[in-house]
Amino acid sequence: MKTFPMFLRMEGREVVIVGGGEEAAQKARLILKTEARLTLVAETLDGELAALVEAGRATHETSAPSPVRLSGSALVFAASGCPGLDACTASVARAGGALVNAVDQPDLCDAITPSIVDRDPVVVAIGTEGTAPVLARQIKTQVEEMLEPTLGGFAALAGRLRTAVTASIPKARRRAFWRWAFEAPRRQHAQGAERDAARMLKQAIAAGGAPDDQSVGSIALVGAGPGAADLLTLRAVRRLQEADVIFYDRLVDPEVLELARRDAERIYVGKAPGIHSWPQDKIDQVIVTEARRGRRVVRLKGGDPSIFGRADEEMSGARAANVPVEIVPGVTAASAVASRLGRPLTERGRTNRLVLATAVGAGNQIVDDIAEALRPGTTMAIYMGLGAAAEIRDQMIAHGLPADLAVDVVSAATTAHEEIIHTTVDGLATDIALLGMKNPAIILLRNPSIALEAKEPVQKPRTRAA
């Protein structure tokens, strides 16, 4: 290593930023996260920096700094935007014995600003010694996905309880306590149940250690989104990385599974229309069985588990067995389709209602009242409708909708297999059959009674117009 990573105590120490523009403002935003005293040196300050001085969060000096002036500073940023002036500032700061960071001039830097993941008091710093800042930002993004946004709050809570742990839990049991604390209570905290997490910790401290019975695991019904792996939520990625076993269905893209722990067991429980090798009651049973073995179970579903995902049955089974269960939302297919078409699902003053409907009801019967829900001002997204395209067409026409009403059909949205058809109500079934479109797909309609402006379809790669 050419540089040594270290965290500096900043409470009460002075940081000087020489510069009054955007480069200086970027550094100021960073230092304001600490407890350092901030001094800005420039003849004039931009609006953001001037507001900091006015609010008392920084002081302002206009005279060029000398080595003596900078000798007591913990850190000096040369951030004027002028390479020559910044080089001069670096020399002056170094002559005064201060560490210096010159913006965009790594050869002049004693200190290099890392990419930071901030979960105060948990802080992760990523550096490449100035060689690859873009790579550092990419790594930062990956770490951001790993760490829940509320992690800092939980770490602070644990810190406040350390004295109580020392007083109440024998030394031989403390390591086990902290291992447990950063598992079950941390998961509770990450789900938004901060009070429950604190209560769990305090009860364990009062009892003299972590609960002895940790045999019951947990179940997370995780939304895998429409396909693209980078559309998963941060929480979904965390659950995949925590999972001991993952039950996934046919709508989950293989790239999504690559985000899971390498040693997690993966079990395919896919179901296709008319082919039920994994009946729902069997899935309900096996995920509960695995959780009761003490394993962290992820039931990975395409889209959002709570939208036509039979999450109610799986949650009921878990609750009946007293197994903790949660839903981790995902991007539903209708939202993905709208993004690929380049049009929103709702438009102010034109469509004020969004209907998500399934074409297949109980017992695999075709729903017979879909057309009735397509009222004026409505956008309708029909899930699982390809096999019922003819029935949907007949319903729409019988309900008085024009045969030439525009319809969009999108299959495998956001994946490499994405296909788009721009057709009409009358041509819906014929074009789907002609072009061999396959599930998963969404049929998207907008009510014609609202005077919508005619728009040319946004042409996308792999798009086929009927």
Side-chain angles (χ1 to χ4, degrees), residues 9 81 104 171 261 285 317 321:
R9 290 188 178 274
D104 293 332
K171 185 175 182 180
R261 268 176 46 193
Q285 179 182 1

Side-chain angles (χ1 to χ4, degrees), residues 56-335:
R57 302 184 68 187
T59 59
H60 180 205
E61 297 180 4
T62 57
S63 300
S66 66
V68 174
R69 167 64 184 84
L70 298 178
S71 62
S73 301
L75 184 62
V76 176
F77 287 101
S80 69
C82 172
L85 180 56
D86 286 347
C88 180
T89 298
S91 297
V92 171
R94 196 170 289 111
L99 294 175
V100 63
N101 175 277
V103 175
D104 293 332
Q105 299 190 69
D107 290 342
L108 299 180
C109 294
D110 300 312
I112 297 175
T113 305
S115 290
I116 293 175
V117 178
D118 184 6
R119 300 288 191 273
D120 185 28
V122 178
V123 179
V124 180
I126 302 128
T128 61
E129 298 187 340
T131 61
V134 172
L135 175 60
R137 287 194 292 271
Q138 290 177 347
I139 297 171
K140 166 184 164 67
T141 299
Q142 294 172 339
V143 177
E144 291 276 11
E145 293 173 351
M146 293 170 55
L147 304 181
E148 64 268 25
T150 59
L151 178 60
F154 186 75
L157 171 64
R160 293 192 297 271
L161 293 174
R162 291 192 70 86
T163 300
V165 169
T166 301
S168 301
I169 299 178
K171 185 175 182 180
R173 301 191 65 188
R174 287 177 202 161
R175 183 179 295 274
F177 169 83
W178 287 118
R179 279 200 302 265
W180 167 81
F182 287 104
E183 291 286 343
R186 176 184 170 184
R187 287 198 298 271
Q188 288 287 324
H189 194 278
Q191 294 168 23
E194 290 91 347
R195 291 184 180 179
D196 291 341
R199 183 166 53 250
M200 291 173 68
L201 290 171
K202 291 177 182 178
Q203 288 175 347
I205 293 171
D212 292 328
D213 182 10
Q214 300 178 40
S215 60
V216 177
S218 62
I219 296 173
L221 309 181
V222 176
D230 59 357
L231 288 178
L232 264 69
T233 66
L234 296 178
R235 185 175 296 182
V237 173
R238 286 196 298 273
R239 294 299 177 268
L240 287 172
Q241 294 172 347
E242 295 167 352
D244 298 308
V245 57
I246 300 167
F247 294 90
Y248 65 99
D249 62 34
R250 67 185 180 87
L251 300 182
V252 174
D253 192 280
E255 289 187 6
V256 172
L257 290 171
E258 290 299 312
L259 298 174
R261 268 176 46 193
R262 294 299 176 191
D263 58 343
E265 186 178 356
R266 295 160 171 80
I267 300 175
Y268 175 71
V269 292
K271 295 185 292 183
I275 303 174
H276 298 285
S277 56
W278 273 85
Q280 186 62 46
D281 59 351
K282 182 179 179 182
I283 296 174
D284 300 343
Q285 179 182 1
V286 294
I287 63 176
V288 168
T289 298
E290 290 297 321
R292 296 185 71 174
R293 292 174 55 197
R295 308 185 81 186
R296 289 167 293 191
V297 177
V298 163
R299 173 70 173 99
L300 190 61
K301 299 169 172 282
D304 185 298
S306 63
I307 299 178
F308 309 127
R310 304 186 76 166
D312 57 332
E313 300 171 45
E314 294 169 355
M315 294 186 75
S316 296
R319 287 168 175 163
N322 293 319
V323 172
V325 61
E326 67 167 322
I327 291 180
V328 179
V331 175
T332 192
S335 297

